[in-house]
Amino acid sequence: MRNLSLIATEYESLNHANANLTATAFDLDENVLYAASERKNLDGEVEVELWKVPQRKKGDAGEGEVFPVMTTMFTSMASSNEPDEVPQIVSLRVIAEARRIAAIMRGGDVVVASLDEEDSPAEVEGTFETGILAASWSPDESLLILVTGDHKLILMTSTFDVLSEGPVHQNEFGEDAPINVGWGSKQTQFHGSLGKTAAQAPTNVKIGSSPDDDSIPRVSWRGDGAYFVISNLAPVDSLGFRRRVLRVYDRQAVLQSTSEAVGGLEHTLAWRPSGNLIAGTQRFGFEGGGSGREERHDVVFFERNGLRHGEFTLKAEHFKSTNQVEKSTKKWGYKVRDIVWSSDSNVLGLWVGTDHGDIVQLWTIGNYHWYLKHEVVAPEVAPGKPGRFTSMQWHPEATLQLILTTPDTILHRHYDWETFSSPSKPPQDSGLVAVLDASSVLLTPFRTQNVPPPMSSHQLAVKAVSSPDSPSSPYEAKNPVYVAFSADNDALACLWEDGLLQLWALNTRLGPGPGKVLNPSKIWEGRIPESKEDGKVVKTQSSDLIAPNCRIVGNTWPMLYQTRTGEVRKREYLLNSSIIRADSDQKPDERPVVPVGPESGQTEDDLTLGSFPEFCLHTETARGASGDTELFLGLAKSGRLYVFVPGREARILATNANSFTISSSFLVFTTTSHESKYVPIEELLGILLSTAESESPESKDVPDQWTVRKVERGSRIVVAVPSTMSLVLQMPRGNLETINPRPLVMEVVTKDLNEGNYRKAFFACRKHRIDLNVLVDHDQEQFLERVPQFVEQIHEIDHLNLFLTLIGRGSQAPEVVTKICDAVRIELEKTDLKKYINTILTAHVVKNPPDYESGLAELLRLRETDQSLVEEAVKYIIFLVDAEKLFDIALGMYDFSLVLMIAQHAQKDPREYLPFLKELRSLEKYYQRFRIDDHLKRHESALKNLNLGGAQYFEEAVAYIERYSLYEAALSIWKGTDQYKTVMEVYGDWLYERRELPQAAAAFLEAGSTQKAMVTFEKNLQWRELFDLAFLNDTPEEELQDMAYRVSEDLTSRKRYAEAGQVLLEYRKDVRGAVYALVQGNAFSEARRVANLHKHPELLEDIIRPASLDSRAQISEDINEMREQLRKQRNRIRELRIRKVEEPDAFYGTEDVAMQNIDVMTDVSMPATAFTRYTVAPTSVSRSSKKSSRSKRKAERKVSSGRKGTVDEEEYLLKSLTKLVDRFSTTREEVRSLLPHLYQFDGEYREEGLSLQADVSDFEKEMKEAIEEVWTRSPDGTDPSTATAEDTWASRMAEVERNKHINPLDKVSKPDVIRGKKWRINLYEF
């Protein structure tokens, strides 16, 4: 759907009377064009002048002229075997690496001139005596192919060294000759009564060349330089015909393939740079030509293997003269002189010579159809003398730049792709797109039809009709060069290059209905300027722009235009005559002419609004919702999408855009990364206007924060139709795809919701699969207020059911869902309960939680008013909810008629439910409900009904409480009754069994069961509460003694020695036992106090002194054990740290380098290896990406195990040392309480105390040194980051690797070893 637009034209004239330009060559390094002018002298020689034409640099405004400069001139022998129209220069090429330019002359000379040396003479590198018929350089300029006059093929290097030489005419097919077994040939077919002789009879097919053939060979290279093709005339065959043959060679000039015989094949030849097609031309309708009508003329294509591959027919009527009486000197009136592919392989240029002048046609392909996009007519040299082109060439790097030469002028024509689409706004947006094809405009309104190209909704013939007043010319271009749509009216303007303009009223049908989609009618035709035609007033005004090759921006007034440098200017005044405004129903003076001059106060200087950094072919303007600020957007050829507001610098919106459009309030653009992006214009304006003036140049890119949708590879925007929420895309092949992007749909839906048009918004969401929750999320309060309007517009039951169902499944909060459902239900009940009963039931069911009981209650209410609708309503609710669940819910409502109705319509087997219902009917009311609730597992409700049944069911209730652990519910039910204490005691028994002893004791006390409470206190060793309760209950003394003995034993087993001693002393009066318990707990001070208090000094010698020595021995044993552990772990940590430095790979378990290239994974279970240790499961099936709690616990156990040789061993040792410090602190407290008594006991006890104090002091010092050594970091210690971007397998594995390298000192904090003298006895040292 794209068209070739002429964006700039440049002319360079030699201003030389005898100039005859015939060849051009580019110097891409210096951006210079070299042109060769040749002319024959009287001596039969050709004089060649080489001109240097500097090219305008990118961004040059183009106001100044470029003057060619002649660099050198040389003379060569001319060839007299060709017609005069054939140039003597066969090839002109700049050899960039050698900085030379080479001219291959038809007379046989190879002339070379230096480019770097000024005024350097041209030198003849060599001469071929037989002349040169064809020459072509490879794309990389490393090889040269020559076809000499004696039909030899010569392959040379860039230094003109011969690599190979051989004849052009060969009988072999080539190395790629196909294998033919005769299938499908004439010899293998059945010939009926004619017999085998008919199959063996020779076939004489006349295959010749075209009468227009110039008999000169042609050479063309493929774009990558791997192959080249030669087209030349074969020798005369047995029938006297010569035909054109194509031969394909590789870079070594080895023949690869030969083309099939094609009658009427002409001399033209061009290999598409992309490499898939070789183009030529073919004539039909004469002896030896192609089989077809006489005037048929095709462009035919060949593959590299020589086989034909498609064609298209030229339009012969385009080459006919407007002067009908003029007699043609050619058989068909024209001939194709040359064909050339553009450097990007998208455009094929045909150079056609006619009697009335030369024409260049530009053809493109789309969806396997060839379009004639442009015609370039050679300018006339003088009135009545036809214009001629002398060469045609595409720029090798700047795509779509065509260079044509006439005898004295060089024409540069810059083209680019453009889509002609209608800029009309909603609701009148038709989505019209125009495609130019010869003299036809193919129109398709995408709002109503999506017709794939090359077809269209309407083919508008816009052939120009010559008027008597039009300038006389032997030929007029048939193709319009540009079309434009009116933004306000349904009109189309077609422009020709000679100034002809046609205006058409299209009469587009926007909606569905009978009649034509388009019914165009021409409303005006003429050349600028015109004043009146056919009674239609035409008012034209024009203005001279500041520079050539400017381009109008937008479709607004005052006029905006863009210069070649990208500057956007506004012109608010008019000067002479121009821009057309023609309308049959408008008066000529509806729009006043803006005066210009001193009186108006205006000047001729245009107002500069801003500037794009480079020229942008595709530009558009947009405004925000307020309409105050205008936004300018431009897409450059580099793929950069620029945007600016007046007075601000342009910023880059994207660097890889390939198309964009404005769709209502969105800017939509596609990228080369196969994405379409949707930018809200209002948001974009806010970003641009909020940018600070002092912002640095590096921040010119607009943040990429827009909605993105993936599209097919290579997609480009054709047109956006906001009214239908559609975006039409075209694929590279040419086929179309219409999508409905979510932002465009939501824009229309939001607008409809604001206007209260719920029906249109509902169906738009339904059609485009948008969650219907958006109807509520847009404005919840407004929706609740407009529920009556919503129900009135969407009156279909199925649609309301769908809406409520999606609301129930949406992300709304449960209370919001309930509010919406209730609002809709209430409105439906007011409107018509019977009609909307199904929707009302849906409203009850979709709530969160569902209100099934209310839904069934609606059925009961409906049964009382209209029995006929109940059956359908029951079937519907069974459809919504599982029948078994409905049966249980109805049963829980204690309504047996409803239960039967549900069961019958659910097709349940009566044998399953009738006996059960019959049994229930025979029971008393509350016991019946108890049985129903118990059946439905509603245990609390069942317990309440059982209580309501009376006291006779209390024993059963107690059993029911114990069966289902309904203790808390039971306590609330029987609170304040006589049975409350019984329930409380049962509750206490349950707590006792669960070992919740404090609560069980409290429950027993509440229930008045003191014995159970005492047992519970004793079990929980709450001896204070126990003896308090025992004294309150007057427990006998003997029983108290036994109780005290049992409690003390339990306390001693729990190492609660002080409490055990207190119980024995206070409740059993056992002083000896109390002292023994105290010394077991190292409470020597308390033991001595008790012994002296109760006058038992013998206990000091019998129990306390021996116990102090035992305690000292135990402490020494503990100290020795800790010392041994400290030394072992300290040495092991030293070994690990040395190994970590010397053998890091072995320490951390790095993978074997030889295993890194293995990429095969097996499904067989295997033990963990260095290669598979991070593989969660050795299969190709992915497991969950989240760590489970089980795996986390497993990892923690692995670290805490500290298995020797693992990477976690050091961390384990550090944690062990931390625990050792804590253990030593406890032991040191025991030493602190023991040392005073050993000192007081004197003698050997004092010596033992001194020894103990020294031993503990030495170990304390050793431990402190070890801790300082172990927790000292190495100089190269690092602190790697453990942060990860996301929770993926790769990130988790990376985290594992980082954790392995984290210093264990960062994981385990350093313990504090307090070395003080508070625990010491200083008297030991004296």
Side-chain angles (χ1 to χ4, degrees):
M1 306 295 285
R2 294 192 296 168
N3 301 276
L4 271 181
S5 288
L6 180 63
I7 59 175
T9 305
E10 299 168 357
Y11 301 88
E12 284 99 15
S13 179
L14 297 185
N15 295 323
H16 196 284
N18 296 323
N20 183 28
L21 297 173
T22 57
T24 56
F26 278 97
D27 182 1
L28 299 177
D29 294 338
E30 301 294 333
N31 195 26
V32 171
L33 173 68
Y34 289 92
S37 173
E38 64 178 57
R39 60 181 177 274
K40 292 183 179 179
N41 56 24
L42 298 177
D43 296 332
E45 296 178 335
V46 58
E47 298 178 355
V48 178
E49 296 176 350
L50 194 61
W51 294 80
K52 179 179 180 181
V53 185
Q55 301 296 290
R56 291 186 176 92
K57 295 182 180 180
K58 184 178 180 181
D60 189 0
E63 293 88 345
E65 296 184 7
V66 175
F67 298 99
V69 178
M70 189 175 70
T71 60
T72 187
M73 184 176 70
F74 62 88
T75 303
S76 177
M77 184 60 66
S79 174
S80 59
N81 298 328
E82 288 79 16
D84 292 339
E85 65 180 9
V86 177
Q88 291 296 312
I89 299 178
V90 181
S91 171
L92 184 68
R93 184 67 174 247
V94 173
I95 307 173
E97 184 176 354
R99 298 303 300 157
R100 298 193 298 175
I101 184 168
I104 313 296
M105 305 303 295
R106 201 168 295 277
D109 290 343
V110 178
V111 183
V112 177
S114 175
L115 298 179
D116 294 335
E117 300 177 8
E118 296 183 1
D119 301 328
S120 62
E123 299 177 355
V124 178
E125 193 77 18
T127 302
F128 295 87
E129 297 297 335
T130 58
I132 299 175
L133 301 178
S136 180
W137 290 86
S138 64
D140 58 359
E141 301 170 355
S142 62
L143 296 176
L144 171 64
I145 297 295
L146 297 177
V147 179
T148 62
D150 54 353
H151 297 282
K152 286 186 178 180
L153 173 64
I154 299 177
L155 176 64
M156 307 181 73
T157 64
S158 59
T159 57
F160 304 103
D161 297 325
V162 177
L163 296 178
S164 67
E165 181 177 352
V168 174
H169 302 295
Q170 301 184 36
N171 296 326
E172 293 82 6
F173 181 87
E175 291 185 349
D176 296 338
I179 299 175
N180 185 6
V181 296
W183 293 342
S185 65
K186 182 178 180 181
Q187 287 76 10
T188 61
Q189 295 177 5
F190 177 67
H191 293 272
S193 60
L194 298 178
K196 293 184 178 180
T197 57
Q200 298 172 356
T203 57
N204 295 322
V205 180
K206 297 179 180 179
I207 300 177
S209 61
S210 170
D212 292 339
D213 199 313
D214 60 8
S215 303
I216 300 175
R218 297 292 193 279
V219 182
S220 181
W221 284 84
R222 200 170 76 171
D224 59 358
Y227 298 93
F228 64 90
V229 60
I230 295 180
S231 169
N232 67 316
L233 284 174
V236 179
D237 59 14
S238 59
L239 300 177
F241 289 92
R242 298 184 68 188
R243 65 182 179 92
R244 277 270 170 181
V245 178
L246 304 185
R247 291 183 174 88
V248 178
Y249 297 83
D250 61 9
R251 286 179 64 90
Q252 289 74 35
V254 178
L255 181 63
Q256 300 296 307
S257 61
T258 304
S259 67
E260 59 180 293
V262 176
L265 188 63
E266 296 182 322
H267 56 273
T268 55
L269 180 69
W271 198 328
R272 197 175 190 179
S274 60
N276 60 335
L277 295 176
I278 301 172
T281 54
Q282 180 186 12
R283 279 286 188 183
F284 294 82
F286 62 93
E287 188 177 17
S291 178
R293 58 183 175 83
E294 182 179 358
E295 292 188 355
R296 180 179 171 186
H297 198 181
D298 285 2
V299 175
V300 295
F301 301 104
F302 295 84
E303 296 178 0
R304 187 176 68 84
N305 56 13
L307 299 179
R308 283 283 311 279
H309 186 94
E311 70 281 323
F312 67 88
T313 303
L314 298 178
K315 302 180 184 297
E317 64 273 11
H318 279 240
F319 309 123
K320 294 181 180 179
S321 172
T322 56
N323 188 356
Q324 302 297 331
V325 298
E326 182 181 351
K327 187 175 180 180
S328 175
T329 60
K330 296 181 175 64
K331 181 177 181 180
W332 289 284
Y334 72 96
K335 76 171 185 177
V336 178
R337 297 192 59 184
D338 199 4
I339 56 178
V340 183
W341 288 98
S342 64
S343 59
D344 60 355
S345 301
N346 289 327
V347 182
L348 178 63
L350 271 74
W351 173 11
V352 181
T354 68
D355 292 332
H356 47 268
D358 287 1
I359 305 168
V360 170
Q361 291 186 337
L362 302 182
W363 293 78
T364 64
I365 187 174
N367 224 10
Y368 303 104
H369 174 77
W370 285 89
Y371 297 86
L372 175 55
K373 291 296 186 182
H374 247 278
E375 285 184 337
V376 184
V377 181
E380 292 184 351
V381 179
K385 186 177 180 181
R388 297 294 179 189
F389 291 121
T390 57
S391 71
M392 174 178 66
Q393 182 183 6
W394 291 96
H395 196 286
E397 287 188 352
T399 58
L400 302 181
Q401 180 179 344
L402 181 65
I403 297 91
L404 301 171
T405 61
T406 64
D408 61 350
T409 307
I410 303 173
L411 288 78
H412 297 263
R413 297 176 67 88
H414 301 263
Y415 293 91
D416 210 335
W417 298 105
E418 186 172 5
T419 302
F420 300 146
S421 58
S422 172
S424 55
K425 305 299 181 184
Q428 303 300 323
D429 52 331
S430 58
L432 268 168
V433 176
V435 178
L436 297 180
D437 186 12
S439 59
S440 299
V441 180
L442 310 181
L443 297 170
T444 301
F446 283 96
R447 177 169 179 173
T448 53
Q449 292 184 344
N450 187 347
V451 182
M455 298 179 290
S456 61
S457 298
H458 186 83
Q459 185 170 336
L460 179 63
V462 292
K463 184 176 180 181
V465 179
S466 300
S467 62
D469 300 331
S470 61
S472 60
S473 173
Y475 176 79
E476 291 182 352
K478 308 298 189 297
N479 277 36
V481 295
Y482 201 86
V483 298
F485 293 94
S486 171
D488 303 322
N489 302 316
D490 191 16
L492 172 72
C494 299
L495 178 67
W496 278 257
E497 197 164 351
D498 59 357
L500 178 67
L501 185 69
Q502 289 183 357
L503 297 182
W504 293 78
L506 299 177
N507 302 316
T508 307
R509 175 167 55 82
L510 297 179
K516 297 181 179 179
V517 177
L518 288 166
N519 187 20
S521 62
K522 185 162 52 175
I523 59 177
W524 185 79
E525 178 181 0
R527 283 180 172 81
I528 305 172
E530 288 276 349
S531 58
K532 181 180 290 187
E533 183 175 321
D534 298 334
K536 298 175 182 177
V537 177
V538 178
K539 189 169 184 178
T540 67
Q541 297 175 348
S542 72
S543 180
D544 295 331
L545 298 179
I546 193 170
N549 296 325
C550 294
R551 188 173 180 85
I552 294 178
V553 177
N555 201 353
T556 61
W557 184 263
M559 183 181 68
L560 305 174
Y561 66 93
Q562 179 189 188
T563 66
R564 286 191 60 187
T565 58
E567 191 175 51
V568 178
R569 300 183 178 184
K570 180 168 68 172
R571 172 157 293 188
E572 298 184 353
Y573 57 89
L574 301 172
L575 290 178
N576 304 321
S577 114
S578 150
I579 302 173
I580 295 297
R581 191 176 147 265
D583 201 340
S584 57
D585 58 356
Q586 280 189 340
K587 297 180 181 181
D589 54 351
E590 277 190 347
R591 179 186 290 174
V593 179
V594 179
V596 176
E599 297 180 358
S600 64
Q602 295 189 12
T603 66
E604 296 186 9
D605 294 333
D606 296 338
L607 176 63
T608 301
L609 300 179
S611 180
F612 296 115
E614 54 185 313
F615 179 79
C616 297
L617 171 68
H618 188 187
T619 56
E620 289 196 28
T621 61
R623 291 183 180 272
S626 61
D628 297 335
T629 306
E630 193 167 18
L631 183 70
F632 292 84
L633 300 116
L635 177 60
K637 213 168 185 179
S638 60
R640 288 183 173 88
L641 181 59
Y642 297 103
V643 58
F644 73 85
V645 293
R648 300 290 181 95
E649 289 188 2
R651 300 184 66 182
I652 300 175
L653 193 60
T655 58
N656 59 344
N658 56 12
S659 63
F660 80 95
T661 188
I662 299 295
S663 177
S664 193
S665 62
F666 279 91
L667 162 65
V668 186
F669 66 92
T670 57
T671 66
T672 54
S673 58
H674 328 307
E675 295 176 336
S676 59
K677 299 189 177 183
Y678 306 87
V679 183
I681 293 178
E682 197 68 32
E683 186 176 343
L684 181 59
L685 278 171
I687 293 175
L688 296 177
L689 294 175
S690 62
T691 304
E693 294 290 344
S694 59
E695 195 167 335
S696 61
E698 290 77 8
S699 60
K700 287 187 177 180
D701 291 355
V702 178
D704 190 357
Q705 55 190 17
W706 321 116
T707 304
V708 179
R709 171 172 173 164
K710 290 289 185 181
V711 294
E712 191 174 334
R713 181 182 297 270
S715 299
R716 295 176 184 270
I717 295 173
V718 176
V719 68
V721 188
S723 294
T724 58
M725 302 164 283
S726 60
L727 181 69
V728 183
L729 303 173
Q730 186 170 29
M731 308 305 116
R733 194 193 73 185
N735 55 310
L736 301 179
E737 180 182 349
T738 301
I739 62 175
N740 297 95
R742 185 62 54 91
L744 303 188
V745 176
M746 289 306 302
E747 179 187 19
V748 177
V749 169
T750 301
K751 180 180 177 182
D752 292 335
L753 291 177
N754 290 332
E755 296 175 353
N757 193 348
Y758 287 102
R759 185 173 186 83
K760 184 180 176 184
F762 176 88
F763 283 103
C765 293
R766 185 166 178 256
K767 177 181 179 181
H768 300 294
R769 299 183 179 181
I770 295 177
D771 191 356
L772 293 179
N773 281 273
V774 71
L775 303 180
V776 178
D777 294 339
H778 175 67
D779 192 334
Q780 181 180 330
E781 296 181 0
Q782 185 184 66
F783 178 83
L784 292 174
E785 294 175 358
R786 294 181 176 179
V787 166
Q789 184 179 350
F790 173 78
V791 173
E792 181 182 357
Q793 293 182 17
I794 307 175
H795 51 79
E796 294 87 352
I797 297 174
D798 291 341
H799 294 159
L800 290 172
N801 292 341
L802 175 64
F803 170 74
L804 291 174
T805 302
L806 293 178
I807 289 295
R809 295 179 180 177
S811 58
Q812 304 279 1
E815 57 273 12
V816 175
V817 174
T818 301
K819 186 185 299 184
I820 295 171
C821 291
D822 288 341
V824 174
R825 175 182 57 81
I826 293 171
E827 187 60 31
L828 293 176
E829 289 176 351
K830 293 179 182 177
T831 304
D832 192 339
L833 173 63
K834 297 178 181 180
K835 176 181 177 182
Y836 293 110
I837 181 60
N838 290 350
T839 307
I840 294 172
L841 293 177
T842 304
H844 286 299
V845 169
V846 300
K847 292 180 183 179
N848 189 11
D851 192 0
Y852 299 120
E853 290 83 357
S854 298
L856 293 177
E858 294 287 351
L859 295 180
L860 294 177
R861 185 170 61 165
L862 187 63
R863 184 179 60 181
E864 298 173 357
T865 58
D866 194 337
Q867 183 69 29
S868 61
L869 295 177
V870 174
E871 184 175 349
E872 293 298 326
V874 171
K875 290 181 180 179
Y876 179 75
I877 197 171
I878 290 175
F879 166 75
L880 294 178
V881 188
D882 181 61
E884 294 294 335
K885 181 181 289 187
L886 277 179
F887 180 85
D888 292 341
I889 292 171
L891 186 63
M893 297 175 67
Y894 313 122
D895 190 324
F896 289 99
S897 61
L898 183 61
V899 173
L900 289 173
M901 185 168 58
I902 296 295
Q904 291 170 359
H905 288 88
Q907 298 181 351
K908 289 176 66 69
D909 189 353
R911 291 175 298 180
E912 296 179 359
Y913 62 87
L914 284 180
F916 177 61
L917 296 180
K918 185 177 180 181
E919 179 186 358
L920 291 176
R921 284 181 177 274
S922 63
L923 300 176
E924 185 265 335
K925 174 181 177 182
Y926 290 108
Y927 195 75
Q928 177 191 82
R929 294 186 176 182
F930 161 73
R931 290 288 302 276
I932 292 174
D933 291 335
D934 181 57
H935 173 75
L936 299 177
K937 294 182 173 53
R938 302 190 305 191
H939 302 300
E940 291 190 12
S941 178
L943 190 62
K944 290 179 181 178
N945 284 317
L946 198 59
N947 176 45
L948 295 175
Q952 65 271 22
Y953 298 112
F954 181 71
E955 294 298 329
E956 185 177 353
V958 172
Y960 196 77
I961 293 169
E962 293 177 345
R963 186 187 314 159
Y964 296 109
S965 301
L966 302 174
Y967 301 101
E968 295 181 0
L971 290 174
S972 62
I973 292 172
W974 272 278
K975 188 173 184 178
T977 63
D978 296 338
Q979 295 86 5
Y980 178 74
K981 289 189 176 182
T982 304
V983 174
M984 183 62 74
E985 185 175 355
V986 173
Y987 180 48
D989 293 338
W990 179 74
L991 292 173
Y992 186 85
E993 293 175 359
R994 290 170 55 88
R995 293 294 186 267
E996 297 182 16
L997 300 178
Q999 296 187 39
F1004 287 137
L1005 290 175
E1006 180 70 15
S1009 180
T1010 56
Q1011 289 300 324
K1012 289 185 177 182
M1014 291 173 64
V1015 172
T1016 304
F1017 283 138
E1018 183 177 348
K1019 188 73 174 177
N1020 200 36
L1021 292 180
Q1022 293 178 268
W1023 57 273
R1024 293 178 177 84
E1025 292 82 355
L1026 170 64
F1027 288 107
D1028 176 59
L1029 187 60
F1031 282 115
L1032 290 176
N1033 291 334
D1034 297 328
T1035 304
E1037 183 66 25
E1038 183 178 354
E1039 189 173 342
L1040 282 175
Q1041 294 284 336
D1042 295 339
M1043 188 183 300
Y1045 179 77
R1046 293 195 304 271
V1047 170
S1048 65
E1049 289 294 323
D1050 291 339
L1051 290 173
T1052 302
S1053 65
R1054 301 284 181 87
K1055 296 185 178 182
R1056 295 164 60 177
Y1057 299 108
E1059 295 178 68
Q1062 185 178 356
V1063 170
L1064 290 173
L1065 184 64
E1066 293 180 1
Y1067 299 105
R1068 192 175 172 81
K1069 309 302 182 182
D1070 185 1
V1071 178
R1072 189 179 187 86
V1075 170
Y1076 185 76
L1078 290 172
V1079 297
Q1080 278 185 297
N1082 288 328
F1084 290 96
S1085 299
E1086 181 67 13
R1088 293 176 66 182
R1089 186 190 70 82
V1090 170
N1092 293 325
L1093 177 66
H1094 293 278
K1095 309 299 184 180
H1096 291 283
E1098 71 278 4
L1099 297 180
L1100 181 65
E1101 297 294 336
D1102 296 344
I1103 297 178
I1104 298 176
R1105 286 177 179 267
S1108 65
L1109 293 178
D1110 293 341
S1111 180
R1112 183 256 183 273
Q1114 182 63 41
I1115 291 174
S1116 297
E1117 184 178 347
D1118 292 344
I1119 292 295
N1120 292 332
E1121 181 182 345
M1122 287 188 283
R1123 182 180 290 109
E1124 182 180 2
Q1125 177 184 346
L1126 177 64
R1127 292 174 179 176
K1128 285 183 178 180
Q1129 292 181 344
R1130 183 180 184 180
N1131 293 332
R1132 181 58 181 167
I1133 290 175
R1134 290 172 180 171
E1135 293 176 7
L1136 290 175
R1137 291 179 176 175
I1138 294 174
R1139 184 184 174 198
K1140 187 192 303 185
V1141 175
E1142 295 179 350
E1143 301 176 2
D1145 292 345
F1147 181 80
Y1148 291 110
T1150 307
E1151 295 181 7
D1152 189 0
V1153 177
M1155 304 285 287
Q1156 290 181 355
N1157 294 327
I1158 297 178
D1159 57 357
V1160 178
M1161 185 173 288
T1162 177
D1163 288 336
V1164 181
S1165 299
M1166 62 184 72
T1169 65
F1171 173 61
T1172 62
R1173 71 179 185 276
Y1174 292 143
T1175 306
V1176 179
T1179 66
S1180 59
V1181 180
S1182 175
R1183 289 189 176 182
S1184 173
S1185 62
K1186 299 291 185 181
K1187 279 189 175 181
S1188 64
S1189 57
R1190 179 181 178 184
S1191 63
K1192 289 180 180 179
R1193 290 195 301 270
K1194 184 177 180 181
E1196 292 172 358
R1197 288 196 302 269
K1198 180 181 176 182
V1199 174
S1200 61
S1201 65
R1203 187 165 57 89
K1204 189 172 183 179
T1206 63
V1207 72
D1208 303 316
E1209 183 182 0
E1210 184 179 358
E1211 181 181 350
Y1212 167 78
L1213 294 175
L1214 294 176
K1215 291 181 178 179
S1216 178
L1217 288 177
T1218 303
K1219 294 178 181 178
L1220 183 63
V1221 171
D1222 296 338
R1223 179 184 175 188
F1224 174 69
S1225 299
T1226 303
T1227 303
R1228 192 170 52 187
E1229 288 299 317
E1230 296 177 358
V1231 172
R1232 185 177 67 85
S1233 62
L1234 177 62
L1235 286 178
H1237 300 285
L1238 292 176
Y1239 183 81
Q1240 294 174 12
F1241 291 159
D1242 206 359
E1244 62 173 334
Y1245 297 97
R1246 182 172 295 184
E1247 293 179 0
E1248 291 293 337
L1250 179 61
S1251 174
L1252 177 61
Q1253 180 170 290
D1255 193 15
V1256 173
S1257 298
D1258 293 342
F1259 180 69
E1260 182 183 47
K1261 180 179 180 182
E1262 182 179 359
M1263 174 170 281
K1264 186 172 183 180
E1265 292 175 354
I1267 295 299
E1268 290 296 331
E1269 176 188 343
V1270 169
W1271 261 270
T1272 300
R1273 295 179 180 271
S1274 59
D1276 58 346
T1278 58
D1279 187 16
S1281 174
T1282 60
T1284 55
E1286 53 181 346
D1287 189 11
T1288 62
W1289 185 88
S1291 63
R1292 293 201 307 275
M1293 292 305 100
E1295 182 182 0
V1296 170
E1297 287 293 334
R1298 284 193 298 270
N1299 289 338
K1300 286 169 40 176
H1301 291 273
I1302 292 178
N1303 195 330
L1305 297 179
D1306 295 329
K1307 299 180 182 180
V1308 183
S1309 58
K1310 178 182 177 181
D1312 186 16
V1313 182
I1314 301 176
R1315 184 183 179 187
K1317 298 183 179 180
K1318 293 182 179 180
W1319 63 273
R1320 295 167 174 272
I1321 301 297
N1322 295 332
L1323 295 177
Y1324 279 117
E1325 299 176 1
F1326 298 105

